[in-house]
Amino acid sequence: MNQEQTTLVEINNLRFSRGNRVIYEDISLKIPRGKVTAIMGPSGIGKTTLLKLIGGQLYPDKGEVLFDGQNIHKLSRNALFEARKRMSMLFQSGALFTDMNVFDNVAFALREHSDLPEEIIRRIVLMKLEAVGLRGAAQLMPGELSGGMQRRAALARAIALEPEMVMYDEPFTGQDPISMGVLVKLIKDLSDALSLTSVVVSHDVAEVLSIADYVYVIAEQKIIAHGTPAELRQTDNPQLRQFIDGEPDGPVPFHFPAAEYKKELLCEHS
Amino acid sequence: MVTKKIELLVGVFLLAGVVAFLALVYKVANVDVSTNSDTYTLTAEFTNIGGLKVRSPVKVGGVVVGRVSAINLDAKKLAPVVTLTMDKKYADFPETSSVAVLTSGLLGEQYIGLTPGFMDDGIEILQDGDRIADTHSAMVLEDLIGQFLYSSKDK
Amino acid sequence: MSIVDSIAALGARAIGIVLGLGRAGIMLWGALLHLPRFKKGTPLLIKQIYVVGVQSMVIVIVSGLFIGMVLALQGYTILVGFGTEQSLGPLVALSLLRELGPVVTALLFAGRAGSALTAELGLMKSTEQLSSLEMMAVDPLRQVIAPRFWAGLISMPLLSVMFVAVGIYGGYLVGVAWKGIDDGAFWSILQAAVEWRQDIVNCLIKSVVFAWVVTWIALYRGYHLVPNPEGISRATTQTVVQSSLAVLALDFLLTAIMFG
């Protein structure tokens, strides 16, 4: 029973493939309520896919995703939409609506899902923008913002409906050190202040380890390690060490799988 | 999200569409909505109207004085009856006037040519609903050729 | 072996086409199923009418004027040989109403608005705006597809009517103002030839059908494209090619039904 209350999302024996390519083979993990959970792994292993599976945008081949005890992929359309109102996602590109200004972007979900009067919406939006430090940019179009500011505006939009869970898809990628620092601080502050459940998908080791309460590391279609940041730093798993320390070659090979080098150079091209 | 300018332009767009539509309906298809207050009706019976159509013009010496408003077949005589809607401005045609189905040019549209008759004592002006007695039917090329062949065979 | 392969390729193609049609049908069904929401839906619709309608207006009107003028000029040189240059009115008006108006407008619409719709949706998809809508529990079909579809369906008949009206005016300019056909004869012969039901209503029916097809293809291509620059450019081209072909083929079909 205790387990039920502290776990918001539970993934059991999940298998997912795209065409013939298997992305995940038998993944199980738990995301506790009110904590920052990080999912790390090298690029191209489908970390974003995992978030889309949790959000019910993709369907697994096998296994289940439980959100607050409900199997996301068995919900009716309306129930799924209700569940999605309780979560939100910060996309890698920000995904701000390019034809609206920042204010309307943040107000969008409020206008869609509530019948609040415009005056109250205005105040909520300004509060959210203040939280990410962009109140002054309310009337700008997304194209006029820098990448980091776009992500912050998207973050304000993501928390506009006060969701229980926010999923961050690669929030640090392509950011300069200052924006990165701002985002790290924002994610940490927001999750503490609003007691949000945060799921951070990233490959930026240092930043993730600094804010996460619990970390899962995914590689080769499986979870290869999990634990608190302190535990992971102490690991002696060579694959994990390579990832955390950023070594170019190791258990995760530098070379894409290929025929033997000498053989391919010497043999006649068939 | 939607500015005043966009709303205005969309309004102009919709209005332009409606205006263009009305222009087509009234100017091009000439759907007649005017009341019949300034027109009067005549009928004429022909043996053959050729390619005459509803809305073909009625002309006097080339001047359009009315239009064909209906073409029916008389149920008893089995002859075509043409209803002409005439302009009130040209109301003084004597009952001796004659009408003929004519063609403008060799390949042109067919129209009704009205030839005003003589005026004399005891001859009345055509009134609304009157029938013109003196009619000349359309020349049908096939009939003419047929007559020509027939008469040449006789000789 | 190669025969088996090519039969298999044919089969794969057929399956692909049926799958595509099915997906396109589901998309349209999903978009139109929602009851219109007047308070929230109207601003979206107005915006899209602006994008697909108002922004296509100039090209449609200018093309209509020139096509009407060219038609009149060519028609005049032929008709004057028979001494029937007064039939120029019906020639211009009927060709515009029955064929050129709806068809050329649809082709212009496919090139101007259809490709823009596909590219815009492609951009929204590749920047994850559509995903983001879904995650915000807003159905992109209702929010994005439906207003664009209705805007296309409303705009195109209006554009066609404008095209025809301007085209006839262009014919009038050449015939009457330049070549000296009698003003009254031009209009009266034209009016005698054009029928409300046969010509104007059929013109509208054609343009509504074309609007449906072009907008549908454009939206489908945009909604289901591969979200990268290559995918967007491919899908945009496909939109123009496929909707043009569909318009021309459907035009033959409709003409056969209406006038055949």
Side-chain angles (χ1 to χ4, degrees):
Chain A
M1 202 61 222
N2 193 28
Q3 187 78 0
E4 278 295 303
Q5 281 162 356
T6 54
T7 306
L8 185 60
V9 177
E10 192 175 345
I11 297 177
N12 294 323
N13 307 103
L14 187 84
R15 182 180 192 278
F16 181 79
S17 59
R18 218 173 231 152
N20 292 326
R21 200 177 135 225
V22 177
I23 312 256
Y24 295 125
E25 188 82 72
D26 195 22
I27 279 196
S28 299
L29 55 82
K30 289 195 174 79
I31 293 167
R33 228 180 262 273
K35 294 273 168 42
V36 180
T37 306
I39 296 166
M40 290 203 295
S43 311
I45 56 133
K47 298 188 294 291
T48 308
T49 309
L50 187 64
L51 295 186
K52 288 195 170 172
L53 281 162
I54 296 175
Q57 287 188 301
L58 295 174
Y59 285 80
D61 303 341
K62 239 173 48 192
E64 53 180 14
V65 176
L66 301 176
F67 176 77
D68 205 12
Q70 300 166 297
N71 185 336
I72 280 285
H73 300 101
K74 294 246 166 72
L75 291 177
S76 73
R77 195 175 167 71
N78 286 339
L80 175 61
F81 272 30
E82 283 309 311
R84 279 183 189 164
K85 286 181 196 171
R86 297 168 55 194
M87 54 174 100
S88 78
M89 183 155 165
L90 182 69
F91 285 85
Q92 191 170 352
S93 57
L96 292 169
F97 303 124
T98 38
D99 55 348
M100 303 177 191
N101 64 24
V102 170
F103 182 94
D104 288 329
N105 259 292
V106 178
F108 180 80
L110 290 165
R111 287 179 179 147
E112 271 308 308
H113 293 310
S114 72
D115 289 317
L116 295 174
E118 195 59 24
E119 181 51 32
I120 294 179
I121 288 181
R122 195 183 76 89
R123 278 184 213 163
I124 297 175
V125 171
L126 290 181
M127 279 158 61
K128 303 296 176 195
L129 283 174
E130 177 69 22
V132 299
L134 285 178
R135 191 163 47 80
Q139 297 307 318
L140 295 180
M141 298 304 280
E144 298 171 290
L145 299 179
S146 74
M149 287 198 280
Q150 280 186 14
R151 235 167 261 190
R152 276 149 67 191
L155 183 55
R157 185 179 69 174
I159 57 172
L161 273 185
E162 317 229 323
E164 292 167 43
M165 176 173 83
V166 180
M167 297 183 276
Y168 301 88
D169 183 9
E170 302 280 3
F172 311 116
T173 309
Q175 299 295 316
D176 61 73
I178 300 174
S179 312
M180 199 118 94
V182 169
L183 281 166
V184 168
K185 183 175 172 301
L186 271 176
I187 292 172
K188 190 81 196 154
D189 289 356
L190 286 172
S191 86
D192 290 349
L194 307 172
S195 66
L196 276 175
T197 306
S198 308
V199 183
V200 182
V201 154
S202 180
H203 51 233
D204 294 282
V205 177
E207 286 73 22
V208 169
L209 292 185
S210 72
I211 55 169
D213 295 311
Y214 203 78
V215 180
Y216 289 90
V217 182
I218 298 181
E220 291 160 353
Q221 298 108 39
K222 291 188 291 287
I223 293 178
I224 56 164
H226 57 93
T228 61
E231 286 167 10
L232 289 187
R233 282 198 187 92
Q234 302 306 316
T235 188
D236 47 7
N237 177 335
Q239 206 173 351
L240 196 56
R241 275 257 67 91
Q242 185 197 357
F243 183 70
I244 289 177
D245 300 336
E247 305 284 349
D249 210 347
V252 177
F254 167 72
H255 292 288
F256 195 84
E260 204 190 323
Y261 188 43
K262 273 185 199 158
K263 224 175 175 181
E264 192 163 344
L265 280 180
L266 293 175
C267 79
E268 295 278 316
H269 190 71
S270 51
Chain B
M1 284 195 295
V2 177
T3 63
K4 207 90 207 154
K5 183 183 149 222
I6 288 180
E7 281 175 357
L8 187 72
L9 284 170
V10 169
V12 169
F13 171 71
L14 295 177
L15 209 64
V18 171
V19 166
F21 179 70
L22 291 180
L24 286 189
V25 170
Y26 294 120
K27 185 77 182 169
V28 175
N30 197 25
V31 172
D32 200 7
V33 286
S34 61
T35 53
N36 284 343
S37 62
D38 51 355
T39 61
Y40 65 104
T41 312
L42 299 174
T43 56
E45 189 186 302
F46 294 90
T47 50
N48 194 324
I49 56 163
L52 197 70
K53 290 190 178 64
V54 172
R55 281 202 298 280
S56 292
V58 179
K59 295 181 181 177
V60 175
V63 179
V64 177
V65 295
R67 287 189 183 278
V68 173
S69 56
I71 297 172
N72 298 303
L73 196 67
D74 187 303
K76 277 185 194 154
K77 295 187 197 164
L78 297 176
V81 175
V82 175
T83 309
L84 311 174
T85 302
M86 307 291 290
D87 199 326
K88 264 267 163 62
K89 276 191 287 182
Y90 313 106
D92 297 330
F93 295 110
E95 59 180 0
T96 51
S97 302
S98 65
V99 284
V101 179
L102 301 173
T103 307
S104 58
L106 192 57
L107 301 166
E109 289 284 310
Q110 288 197 301
Y111 65 97
I112 295 221
L114 197 155
T115 315
F118 59 89
M119 288 290 275
D120 205 349
D121 290 341
I123 289 177
E124 293 181 9
I125 299 294
L126 286 168
Q127 298 298 323
D128 187 40
D130 280 358
R131 173 163 293 202
I132 300 169
D134 190 2
T135 63
H136 304 279
S137 289
M139 300 278 198
V140 179
L141 207 56
E142 291 91 324
D143 287 355
L144 287 177
I145 294 168
Q147 274 173 14
F148 172 74
L149 290 175
Y150 193 68
S151 59
S152 57
K153 206 160 51 173
D154 274 357
K155 282 177 185 171
Chain C
M1 199 57 205
S2 74
I3 293 176
V4 174
D5 281 349
S6 46
I7 292 176
L10 185 72
R13 227 182 144 71
I15 290 170
I17 289 171
V18 173
L19 267 179
L21 284 175
R23 277 202 304 233
I26 288 169
M27 182 196 78
L28 194 65
W29 177 248
L32 300 188
L33 198 59
H34 297 287
L35 292 171
R37 302 166 306 158
F38 289 102
K39 193 160 157 265
K40 284 170 180 163
T42 311
L44 290 173
L45 182 64
I46 288 180
K47 182 145 192 224
Q48 291 310 318
I49 291 181
Y50 173 75
V51 172
V52 300
V54 176
Q55 296 193 343
S56 310
M57 206 165 126
V58 172
I59 182 174
V60 162
I61 284 180
V62 172
S63 314
L65 187 70
F66 280 111
I67 286 182
M69 292 192 336
V70 166
L71 210 55
L73 204 50
Q74 289 287 5
Y76 181 84
T77 55
I78 293 171
L79 289 177
V80 80
F82 297 101
T84 54
E85 67 272 17
Q86 295 194 329
S87 301
L88 189 64
L91 176 89
V92 172
L94 292 183
S95 2
L96 283 171
L97 275 169
R98 290 183 179 172
E99 296 297 338
L100 291 175
V103 172
V104 177
T105 309
L107 296 180
L108 292 172
F109 189 84
R112 173 67 185 76
S115 58
L117 280 179
T118 304
E120 189 199 6
L121 282 180
L123 195 70
M124 290 180 80
K125 189 169 182 181
S126 65
T127 54
E128 295 172 308
Q129 291 181 48
L130 294 180
S131 277
S132 158
L133 275 175
E134 270 184 36
M135 286 307 294
M136 290 163 98
V138 175
D139 188 351
L141 291 177
R142 191 193 65 195
Q143 182 75 20
V144 176
I145 301 294
R148 284 167 173 74
F149 183 78
W150 286 118
L153 214 57
I154 291 170
S155 301
M156 183 117 90
L158 292 175
L159 289 169
S160 294
V161 166
M162 288 180 211
F163 183 94
V164 174
V166 170
I168 291 177
Y169 182 68
Y172 170 83
L173 283 182
V174 167
V176 175
W178 181 12
K179 292 296 181 185
I181 297 174
D182 179 60
D183 191 359
F186 181 88
W187 287 117
S188 71
I189 295 173
L190 188 158
Q191 285 165 358
V194 175
E195 290 227 22
W196 156 255
R197 169 70 190 76
Q198 176 82 355
D199 300 318
I200 294 187
V201 172
N202 279 348
C203 168
L204 288 177
I205 292 175
K206 273 190 180 182
S207 66
V208 170
V209 172
F210 296 162
W212 181 291
V213 170
V214 172
T215 319
W216 190 11
I217 290 176
L219 292 177
Y220 170 70
R221 283 285 157 220
Y223 195 66
H224 284 289
L225 53 68
V226 185
N228 58 36
E230 194 202 346
I232 294 177
S233 73
R234 262 177 62 92
T236 311
T237 314
Q238 278 178 329
T239 291
V240 176
V241 171
Q242 289 175 349
S243 47
S244 304
L245 290 179
V247 162
L248 294 172
L250 271 174
D251 182 52
F252 174 73
L253 202 69
L254 287 174
T255 304
I257 293 171
M258 289 168 174
F259 303 100

